[in-house]
Amino acid sequence: MYSPDGSTFTVALSDGNIVVYATSNWERTWILSGHGKGDSRIAYSPNGDRIVSGSNDCTVRVWDVTTGDCLFIFIGHTDSVFDVAYSPQGNVVVSRSYDATLRLWDVESGDLCVRSLSGHEGGVTSLSYSPQGDQIVSGGEDNTVRLWDVETGECRSTMVGHVKAVKQTLFSPKGDHIASVGYDKTVRLWNMGSGISRKISNHHRGDVTGLEYSPKRNQIASSSSDSTIRIWDAVTGACIHPLVGHSEYVIKIAYSPEEDQLASCSRDRTVRLWDVESGACRFILTGHNRWVYDVEFSPRGNQIASASNDKTVRLWSGETGECQRILTGHSDSVWVVRYSPQGNQVASAGEDRTVRLWDVETGACQHTLIGHSGSIIRIAYSPNGNQIASVSYHTVRLWDVQTGSCSHIFIGHQMGATRVVYSPRGDQVASAGCYDRAVRIWDIASGECHQTLVGHEKVLLAIAYSPRGDLIASWSDEGEVRLWDVETGDCRWRLSYESTIRSFDSIFSHTFVWMSSEPLSFITGGRDGSVRVWDVVGEGDQCRIQMRWMSTNGELGLEDACVQDVQGLSYLNKRLLKQRGAKGDPNMRLREASKKVMSMASVVSKLKSSTPGIGVTNGPSTALAKPFPRHSEQHGGRATDAVMQ
């Protein structure tokens, strides 16, 4: 954590010590010892001359940054202290604990607890001061958000809406709204006057499993584990079409060369072809009897190839949807399929440790490439189509397409190499190590490792060259994207945000796509279901990564919605909706599909009303150009943070 003026940087270690660094030379100035073993929570005073810490030893301590002395030790909590914060005026510190209380401490006089705020039934999970410092908002394991008066210690309001514990709470800059984030994967905005909340959820209801960019249309397509596909306007972030039809997890999507069609494959064993302009499903391609893992258009767009867990590759007509050929020969699941740049050949690879090259015209297997000792989950043709690269465990192999011989074997990853890509010029190959967290750039002419890019702290999942080939992006399970200079190997920019970029169980899908080189921009898809567009702006030391927009979906309005003839709603459901502005007589019911109380999101989606669809969160959300190591937290798919601009 940086001090307010940026002159010091403080880190709390797991051994209980707190280390203070001077940012002028990054030398260690103090080790603050006193807390017992375990993580501490820290906060700077508004002027930066003091640090407050709370720890598993149930104490709160105040430290002098200049001398390193411990000024006060506050004792009162009966369980671990998990957060501390200074008031805006700097005279009071608030602490929260799993003993279900918040405590206010006078840090000027050092007196004992000024006030204890009790009311949560269970641990207090978050706290935040209002901008004026006269109120505190807290969230708890009891699923509630509570508003406290600092002067009296009274609970002014108890806000109910989350169905699981509240992760974080904070005030808007004006102090008139409160945002809360829950483990129920929702963000709620609370009106301070009425106490009524508006739920904001991500447009996708599951992980983003695939992203594709359409330069001609300036659109983005995203697929999700919620079985849907959505097409977005790349400039405004508006959702143009929701493509609904798959019944299970959508694994991969691909635009046609003309970008007027989109192909998708799913765990429901089907491939679907969609009209991008209308959003209609043109064909449902059936024939695979197990999950379909990969789909790709031929360079001319007249054919689609699909790879499946049923050990086959199928070639489909893009004009009629008919299955033209079934390519058999693999002895186990086929993970990936690729067309050659010329379109006359298809390559496939999978669990049987082989790469097979097929003649598109005849369906004959031209070569079976054998050499890997493990499953092959990625292959890539060189830009000129003369070579094909494959990756498995710790090796990358390059094969001659004409002869089927192995021309290069690159060894360097310790284990779990998961990605391989050619540079735009075709003179380099880059590979990503899943577990050694390294990106390696190989020079094809010499066969040597040109650069080893190290910096990620968790599992490295994927890589991509920029359109110009001067940068390479890597992204990992810690929720971090790094942009590296290919020539020097330096990390030029680093982007971290609250949702991890992707989940390991969707490792066969793309969730990072370069958009353009002028301006330099890219797209990411999150485990939280969000799609985000980022721009690299500025030059030199002033460069930064700035979020252009992020997809969110506000709760649909209920005004003028009619509830009286909606099937599936109980009398109680309809009464509750009436209180929120819906119209109609709740006593007038047609057939009810279910008596179960439904979630508000499900209820709203059934209302017969034309309502707005998507809200867009615009930037600025930026990552500094100069990277600095940080301790990351893996959030496991939950909404974990909220920032009100």
Side-chain angles (χ1 to χ4, degrees), residues 166-381:
V166 179
K167 172 67 178 178
Q168 187 173 354
T169 53
L170 75 163
F171 281 91
S172 64
K174 294 182 179 179
D176 55 349
H177 284 81
I178 293 171
S180 61
V181 182
Y183 283 104
D184 56 6
K185 301 185 180 182
T186 65
V187 177
R188 287 182 176 269
L189 298 180
W190 305 85
N191 184 289
M192 293 281 288
S194 64
I196 297 175
S197 71
R198 179 169 64 92
K199 184 175 71 175
I200 299 176
S201 59
N202 297 297
H203 211 65
H204 278 300
R205 302 288 181 177
D207 298 357
V208 175
T209 59
L211 286 173
E212 289 291 331
Y213 176 60
S214 167
K216 295 179 181 178
R217 294 175 175 269
N218 205 14
Q219 294 176 354
I220 299 165
S222 62
S223 61
S224 173
S225 60
D226 66 4
S227 76
T228 68
I229 302 156
R230 297 186 183 272
I231 298 177
W232 313 85
D233 186 297
V235 177
T236 67
C239 182
I240 300 171
H241 294 301
L243 309 182
V244 181
H246 284 292
S247 60
E248 291 190 35
Y249 189 119
V250 181
I251 298 176
K252 176 73 185 300
I253 52 176
Y255 270 107
S256 64
E258 293 300 317
E259 300 171 12
D260 58 343
Q261 294 186 86
L262 189 74
S264 61
C265 62
S266 167
R267 288 182 180 178
D268 65 8
R269 308 178 185 183
T270 69
V271 175
R272 288 178 179 252
L273 295 186
W274 308 85
D275 183 274
V276 173
E277 186 67 32
S278 66
C281 180
R282 295 183 61 235
F283 301 113
I284 302 175
L285 314 181
T286 59
H288 287 295
N289 56 40
R290 299 190 71 179
W291 294 355
V292 186
Y293 277 113
D294 202 7
V295 64
E296 180 161 291
F297 275 96
S298 64
R300 289 193 297 167
N302 61 333
Q303 195 177 67
I304 301 103
S306 60
S308 171
N309 208 16
D310 64 6
K311 309 177 187 179
T312 69
V313 173
R314 288 178 178 253
L315 304 182
W316 313 83
S317 169
E319 298 174 353
T320 65
E322 295 180 357
C323 181
Q324 297 174 324
R325 298 198 182 280
I326 303 175
L327 310 181
T328 59
H330 284 286
S331 59
D332 211 327
S333 300
V334 185
W335 300 131
V336 60
V337 62
R338 291 289 179 268
Y339 277 95
S340 65
Q342 296 76 21
N344 61 337
Q345 190 180 73
V346 164
S348 60
E351 190 70 22
D352 65 0
R353 308 179 184 182
T354 69
V355 179
R356 291 177 179 262
L357 306 182
W358 311 86
D359 184 283
V360 170
E361 188 66 30
T362 65
C365 181
Q366 298 173 321
H367 298 290
T368 300
L369 313 181
I370 301 174
H372 284 294
S373 59
S375 302
I376 304 169
I377 61 174
R378 276 293 179 271
I379 55 176
Y381 274 97

Side-chain angles (χ1 to χ4, degrees), residues 124 175 181 197 206 208 254 332 345 387 389 433 455 513 541 543 574 599 618-619:
V124 183
V181 182
S197 71
V208 175
D332 211 327
Q345 190 180 73
Q387 279 184 337
V513 174
D541 291 341
C543 276
K574 294 178 181 180
S599 68
N618 292 293

Side-chain angles (χ1 to χ4, degrees), residues 10-21:
T10 303
V11 179
L13 305 180
S14 60
D15 61 4
N17 290 328
I18 300 168
V19 183
V20 182
Y21 295 90

Side-chain angles (χ1 to χ4, degrees), residues 87-115:
S87 65
Q89 295 76 21
N91 60 332
V92 176
V93 162
V94 61
S95 58
R96 68 170 175 87
S97 168
Y98 271 11
D99 64 7
T101 69
L102 296 98
R103 291 177 180 263
L104 303 180
W105 313 89
D106 189 324
V107 293
E108 291 185 343
S109 65
D111 289 341
L112 295 180
C113 180
V114 177
R115 203 160 282 109

Side-chain angles (χ1 to χ4, degrees), residues 561-572:
C562 183
V563 298
Q564 67 187 30
D565 60 347
V566 178
Q567 299 182 16
L569 303 184
S570 67
Y571 175 77
L572 177 60

